[in-house]
Amino acid sequence: MSVPDLQTIQSLAEVPDGALPITPGSIIMTPEGVLGIAKPPRPCKLHFMADGLPFNVAVRHEGDGSVCQIWADVGHVPYTAQAPERRRALLSILRGVEGLKTVKFVVQGGQKIILFSETTFEHQAAPEDLFHQTILVLQEARPFLRLMGPYL
């Protein structure tokens, strides 16, 4: 039987967030044959720019799976007193966008337009999953973002 080194003992002493109570899956055997704490993957947040819009990506882990959310602040619907033609055209485009597979355009309070997508994975999301989901969102949203651009 090997004696664990000081670093291993310290890692066993650390209690990862959400690890209480300790379950059978909380303790792992390392390749060296030493006990260790299985730390759940940490949530991540990413930011990037595409077509002049700042996009956000957030991943949180739920059980054995992950939830990936992608969103962007598209702009505001102008008020009728400001620009009635632009408002009508923009609302017409937003009504036509309903029913897309991956993306939703949501008009929040204050007439703020948000592009939103949420995907649930049955496994822990890998970088390839995030990249794939981001490309799907951009491919589906880009034509509608270009249509909306002149009216924002």
mmCIF file of all heavy atoms in Angstrom, residues 40-44 58-68 121 123-126 130:
data_model
loop_
_atom_site.group_PDB
_atom_site.id
_atom_site.type_symbol
_atom_site.label_atom_id
_atom_site.label_comp_id
_atom_site.label_asym_id
_atom_site.label_seq_id
_atom_site.Cartn_x
_atom_site.Cartn_y
_atom_site.Cartn_z
ATOM 1 N N PRO A 40 -16.781 18.212 -9.499
ATOM 2 C CA PRO A 40 -17.641 18.393 -10.662
ATOM 3 C C PRO A 40 -17.087 19.492 -11.554
ATOM 4 O O PRO A 40 -16.426 20.413 -11.074
ATOM 5 C CB PRO A 40 -18.986 18.807 -10.057
ATOM 6 C CG PRO A 40 -18.656 19.347 -8.712
ATOM 7 C CD PRO A 40 -17.409 18.642 -8.262
ATOM 8 N N PRO A 41 -17.339 19.403 -12.860
ATOM 9 C CA PRO A 41 -16.859 20.467 -13.750
ATOM 10 C C PRO A 41 -17.481 21.801 -13.342
ATOM 11 O O PRO A 41 -18.626 21.859 -12.928
ATOM 12 C CB PRO A 41 -17.357 20.042 -15.135
ATOM 13 C CG PRO A 41 -17.769 18.618 -15.004
ATOM 14 C CD PRO A 41 -18.056 18.373 -13.565
ATOM 15 N N ARG A 42 -16.700 22.852 -13.459
ATOM 16 C CA ARG A 42 -17.184 24.173 -13.101
ATOM 17 C C ARG A 42 -17.980 24.766 -14.256
ATOM 18 O O ARG A 42 -17.688 24.499 -15.414
ATOM 19 C CB ARG A 42 -16.009 25.075 -12.771
ATOM 20 C CG ARG A 42 -15.221 24.565 -11.566
ATOM 21 C CD ARG A 42 -14.041 25.412 -11.286
ATOM 22 N NE ARG A 42 -14.496 26.766 -10.974
ATOM 23 C CZ ARG A 42 -13.683 27.773 -10.745
ATOM 24 N NH1 ARG A 42 -12.393 27.605 -10.814
ATOM 25 N NH2 ARG A 42 -14.157 28.960 -10.466
ATOM 26 N N PRO A 43 -19.002 25.569 -13.938
ATOM 27 C CA PRO A 43 -19.712 26.250 -15.013
ATOM 28 C C PRO A 43 -18.752 27.192 -15.730
ATOM 29 O O PRO A 43 -17.778 27.658 -15.153
ATOM 30 C CB PRO A 43 -20.816 27.028 -14.299
ATOM 31 C CG PRO A 43 -20.574 26.896 -12.850
ATOM 32 C CD PRO A 43 -19.487 25.901 -12.626
ATOM 33 N N CYS A 44 -19.020 27.464 -17.004
ATOM 34 C CA CYS A 44 -18.150 28.381 -17.725
ATOM 35 C C CYS A 44 -18.976 29.432 -18.450
ATOM 36 O O CYS A 44 -20.139 29.213 -18.764
ATOM 37 C CB CYS A 44 -17.240 27.633 -18.692
ATOM 38 S SG CYS A 44 -18.059 26.982 -20.134
ATOM 39 N N ALA A 58 -23.004 30.406 -21.893
ATOM 40 C CA ALA A 58 -22.895 29.925 -20.513
ATOM 41 C C ALA A 58 -23.210 28.434 -20.500
ATOM 42 O O ALA A 58 -24.161 27.996 -21.154
ATOM 43 C CB ALA A 58 -23.854 30.675 -19.602
ATOM 44 N N VAL A 59 -22.404 27.688 -19.774
ATOM 45 C CA VAL A 59 -22.613 26.248 -19.641
ATOM 46 C C VAL A 59 -22.675 25.927 -18.161
ATOM 47 O O VAL A 59 -21.803 26.328 -17.393
ATOM 48 C CB VAL A 59 -21.469 25.440 -20.299
ATOM 49 C CG1 VAL A 59 -21.701 23.953 -20.115
ATOM 50 C CG2 VAL A 59 -21.353 25.784 -21.763
ATOM 51 N N ARG A 60 -23.736 25.231 -17.782
ATOM 52 C CA ARG A 60 -23.822 24.750 -16.405
ATOM 53 C C ARG A 60 -24.047 23.243 -16.458
ATOM 54 O O ARG A 60 -24.630 22.722 -17.411
ATOM 55 C CB ARG A 60 -24.918 25.468 -15.632
ATOM 56 C CG ARG A 60 -26.316 25.119 -16.035
ATOM 57 C CD ARG A 60 -27.350 25.860 -15.164
ATOM 58 N NE ARG A 60 -28.683 25.437 -15.481
ATOM 59 C CZ ARG A 60 -29.417 25.895 -16.478
ATOM 60 N NH1 ARG A 60 -28.921 26.833 -17.255
ATOM 61 N NH2 ARG A 60 -30.625 25.435 -16.705
ATOM 62 N N HIS A 61 -23.572 22.567 -15.452
ATOM 63 C CA HIS A 61 -23.647 21.111 -15.417
ATOM 64 C C HIS A 61 -24.770 20.696 -14.483
ATOM 65 O O HIS A 61 -24.899 21.221 -13.382
ATOM 66 C CB HIS A 61 -22.305 20.537 -14.962
ATOM 67 C CG HIS A 61 -21.185 20.988 -15.845
ATOM 68 N ND1 HIS A 61 -20.982 20.469 -17.099
ATOM 69 C CD2 HIS A 61 -20.249 21.947 -15.679
ATOM 70 C CE1 HIS A 61 -19.946 21.076 -17.656
ATOM 71 N NE2 HIS A 61 -19.484 21.984 -16.816
ATOM 72 N N GLU A 62 -25.592 19.787 -14.976
ATOM 73 C CA GLU A 62 -26.711 19.263 -14.193
ATOM 74 C C GLU A 62 -26.637 17.745 -14.233
ATOM 75 O O GLU A 62 -26.876 17.143 -15.279
ATOM 76 C CB GLU A 62 -28.035 19.745 -14.764
ATOM 77 C CG GLU A 62 -28.243 21.234 -14.636
ATOM 78 C CD GLU A 62 -29.571 21.694 -15.201
ATOM 79 O OE1 GLU A 62 -30.287 20.877 -15.819
ATOM 80 O OE2 GLU A 62 -29.891 22.872 -15.016
ATOM 81 N N GLY A 63 -26.281 17.140 -13.112
ATOM 82 C CA GLY A 63 -26.142 15.687 -13.066
ATOM 83 C C GLY A 63 -25.046 15.237 -14.014
ATOM 84 O O GLY A 63 -23.931 15.740 -13.984
ATOM 85 N N ASP A 64 -25.379 14.289 -14.895
ATOM 86 C CA ASP A 64 -24.413 13.800 -15.875
ATOM 87 C C ASP A 64 -24.411 14.636 -17.148
ATOM 88 O O ASP A 64 -23.600 14.420 -18.035
ATOM 89 C CB ASP A 64 -24.713 12.341 -16.242
ATOM 90 C CG ASP A 64 -24.448 11.393 -15.085
ATOM 91 O OD1 ASP A 64 -23.641 11.754 -14.208
ATOM 92 O OD2 ASP A 64 -25.051 10.308 -15.067
ATOM 93 N N GLY A 65 -25.335 15.576 -17.272
ATOM 94 C CA GLY A 65 -25.455 16.363 -18.490
ATOM 95 C C GLY A 65 -25.048 17.813 -18.302
ATOM 96 O O GLY A 65 -24.554 18.215 -17.257
ATOM 97 N N SER A 66 -25.278 18.601 -19.358
ATOM 98 C CA SER A 66 -24.940 20.015 -19.360
ATOM 99 C C SER A 66 -26.028 20.790 -20.085
ATOM 100 O O SER A 66 -26.696 20.259 -20.962
ATOM 101 C CB SER A 66 -23.622 20.258 -20.088
ATOM 102 O OG SER A 66 -22.581 19.562 -19.486
ATOM 103 N N VAL A 67 -26.162 22.044 -19.719
ATOM 104 C CA VAL A 67 -27.077 22.953 -20.401
ATOM 105 C C VAL A 67 -26.240 24.093 -20.957
ATOM 106 O O VAL A 67 -25.491 24.743 -20.225
ATOM 107 C CB VAL A 67 -28.164 23.492 -19.446
ATOM 108 C CG1 VAL A 67 -29.044 24.499 -20.156
ATOM 109 C CG2 VAL A 67 -28.989 22.353 -18.883
ATOM 110 N N CYS A 68 -26.352 24.329 -22.260
ATOM 111 C CA CYS A 68 -25.613 25.390 -22.939
ATOM 112 C C CYS A 68 -26.601 26.472 -23.368
ATOM 113 O O CYS A 68 -27.576 26.182 -24.059
ATOM 114 C CB CYS A 68 -24.890 24.814 -24.151
ATOM 115 S SG CYS A 68 -24.101 26.049 -25.187
ATOM 116 N N PHE A 121 -27.448 18.803 -23.184
ATOM 117 C CA PHE A 121 -26.648 17.649 -23.579
ATOM 118 C C PHE A 121 -26.809 16.568 -22.514
ATOM 119 O O PHE A 121 -26.883 16.876 -21.324
ATOM 120 C CB PHE A 121 -25.159 18.016 -23.694
ATOM 121 C CG PHE A 121 -24.870 19.037 -24.749
ATOM 122 C CD1 PHE A 121 -24.582 20.347 -24.398
ATOM 123 C CD2 PHE A 121 -24.875 18.701 -26.092
ATOM 124 C CE1 PHE A 121 -24.312 21.297 -25.359
ATOM 125 C CE2 PHE A 121 -24.608 19.646 -27.056
ATOM 126 C CZ PHE A 121 -24.326 20.947 -26.690
ATOM 127 N N HIS A 123 -24.534 14.547 -21.786
ATOM 128 C CA HIS A 123 -23.175 14.315 -21.286
ATOM 129 C C HIS A 123 -22.567 15.666 -20.907
ATOM 130 O O HIS A 123 -23.160 16.707 -21.152
ATOM 131 C CB HIS A 123 -22.329 13.623 -22.365
ATOM 132 C CG HIS A 123 -22.284 14.403 -23.642
ATOM 133 N ND1 HIS A 123 -23.298 14.350 -24.581
ATOM 134 C CD2 HIS A 123 -21.387 15.289 -24.131
ATOM 135 C CE1 HIS A 123 -23.005 15.154 -25.593
ATOM 136 N NE2 HIS A 123 -21.849 15.745 -25.342
ATOM 137 N N GLN A 124 -21.405 15.629 -20.284
ATOM 138 C CA GLN A 124 -20.705 16.866 -19.961
ATOM 139 C C GLN A 124 -20.272 17.529 -21.266
ATOM 140 O O GLN A 124 -19.651 16.893 -22.105
ATOM 141 C CB GLN A 124 -19.486 16.594 -19.074
ATOM 142 C CG GLN A 124 -19.824 15.978 -17.736
ATOM 143 C CD GLN A 124 -20.633 16.898 -16.844
ATOM 144 O OE1 GLN A 124 -20.519 18.110 -16.920
ATOM 145 N NE2 GLN A 124 -21.466 16.318 -15.999
ATOM 146 N N ALA A 125 -20.621 18.780 -21.458
ATOM 147 C CA ALA A 125 -20.328 19.484 -22.708
ATOM 148 C C ALA A 125 -18.815 19.612 -22.906
ATOM 149 O O ALA A 125 -18.094 20.042 -22.025
ATOM 150 C CB ALA A 125 -20.967 20.859 -22.708
ATOM 151 N N ALA A 126 -18.379 19.219 -24.077
ATOM 152 C CA ALA A 126 -16.975 19.338 -24.466
ATOM 153 C C ALA A 126 -16.825 20.596 -25.326
ATOM 154 O O ALA A 126 -17.814 21.132 -25.830
ATOM 155 C CB ALA A 126 -16.548 18.107 -25.257
ATOM 156 N N LEU A 130 -19.703 22.918 -27.681
ATOM 157 C CA LEU A 130 -19.956 24.358 -27.626
ATOM 158 C C LEU A 130 -19.722 25.011 -28.975
ATOM 159 O O LEU A 130 -20.488 25.875 -29.408
ATOM 160 C CB LEU A 130 -19.066 25.013 -26.565
ATOM 161 C CG LEU A 130 -19.246 24.521 -25.135
ATOM 162 C CD1 LEU A 130 -18.313 25.278 -24.207
ATOM 163 C CD2 LEU A 130 -20.673 24.669 -24.701
#
